[in-house]
Amino acid sequence: MVKVRVPATTANLGPGYDILGLALKLYNTVEIEKADKLSIEIEGEGADSLPKDKSNIAYQAAQEVFKTVNGKPLTVNLKLINNIPLARGLGSSAAARIGALVATNRLMGDKLSQDEILKIAAGLEGHPDNVVPALMGGLTIAALKDNEVRFLKYSKVRSDLKVVVAIPDFKISTIEARKVLPKKVSLVDYVSSGSNILFTTAILTREGNPELLPELLSESMQDRVHQPYRKKLIPGMEDVFQAARMAGAQGVALSGSGSTIAAFSIGNNEEKNKEIGQAMVAAFQKAGHKSYYRILDIDREGAVCL
Ligand code: HSE
C-alpha cells in the first residue's frame, strides 16, 4: 500500500491567471493498493457526494499511470482522506489527481518522471497552475508549451507569509467561471498583468527591504484579466477584498476561480491574521453568505509519499 500527502493550492494570486500557484499547508491523503475488486473509500470532504466508481477523478488519474507504465488498467483499492473543500478554488481536483498519480507511480516502481506526471495532470486539469505547486510545493510559475509543462519553483517563499483564506458556503465550477472571461485582453491589461506577476513574485519570495515591499503587494496583486469578470459570481467579492485590506492584509485575491478569497499577510502577526479572517467572514455575511476562515502556512514540499 502506498500513501501520499498532497497540499491544497491557491492559483492565480491576482494577476497570474493560469500561471502562478502557491501550495498551502492543508492536506489530502491518497492511499492505493492493488486489489481483486475495485473499491473507493472517501473520508472527509466529498465523502457523501464524490463518485466511488470509475468516474472518480483520482481513480482515473491512477489508471493513466497504469496505462502508461503497464499498457493496461489495474484493479485497486483507493482511499481518499479529504481536508480540502471541494469546488472552492483551493485545488481539490489537482490534489486528487496529483495524489493519485504520485501514489500509483510509486506503486509501479516510480517509472514516470516528474515531468511525465505533470503532463498527465495538466492534461486532465486543462491548466497547470494548481497541479505544479500541488506536486512541487512552494510558489510556482507554470505554463503549457506544446502540451509539456514548463515551470519554475521558488523555494524561498517569505517565511513571515501566511495566507488567510475565507471559504464561503457556495461552490464555483471552474469550467463555468472560465466561460465568463473575455477571449482577448488589451495591450494595457497585458502590460499590467506582466508587471504585476513579476512584482508579486518578487515580493512573496524576497525577504529584503521589508519596510517597502509588503506595501507594494496590494497594488501588485491587482488583476484586470479575470477577477473583474468573475465578481458577479462571488457575492460581496469586492467588500471581502476591502475588509481584508482594512484589517491589515498586504494583498488579496480570488483563490483560483473562487469561491474562496485569499488574503496575504506578511509579518507573522497572529492577532492581525485572526482579524483579517474575521473581517472577511463578516463581509461575506453582509453579502448573504456564511463562511469560515483558516490561517494557512506555505507548504514547501509538495506531494510526499508517507
Ligand atoms: N487558473 C484557473 C482559473 C483556476 O482561474 O480558471 C485554477 O486552476
Side-chain angles (χ1 to χ4, degrees), residues 11-12 17-18 125 127 129-130 174 177-178 181 226 230 256-257:
N12 300 332
Y17 175 73
D18 276 2
E125 283 280 300
H127 31 81
D129 51 342
N130 286 117
T174 298
R178 293 173 85 82
L181 304 183
H226 71 109
R230 286 173 162 170
S257 58

Side-chain angles (χ1 to χ4, degrees), residues 15-16 19-20 139 141 152 154 191-206 213 217 220-221:
I19 298 169
L20 290 180
L139 176 68
I141 289 186
L152 268 177
Y154 291 89
V191 173
S192 160
S193 295
S195 58
N196 280 351
I197 289 171
L198 290 173
F199 282 122
T200 296
T201 307
I203 295 166
L204 295 182
T205 54
R206 275 185 211 148
L213 284 179
L217 189 61
S220 304
M221 281 196 155

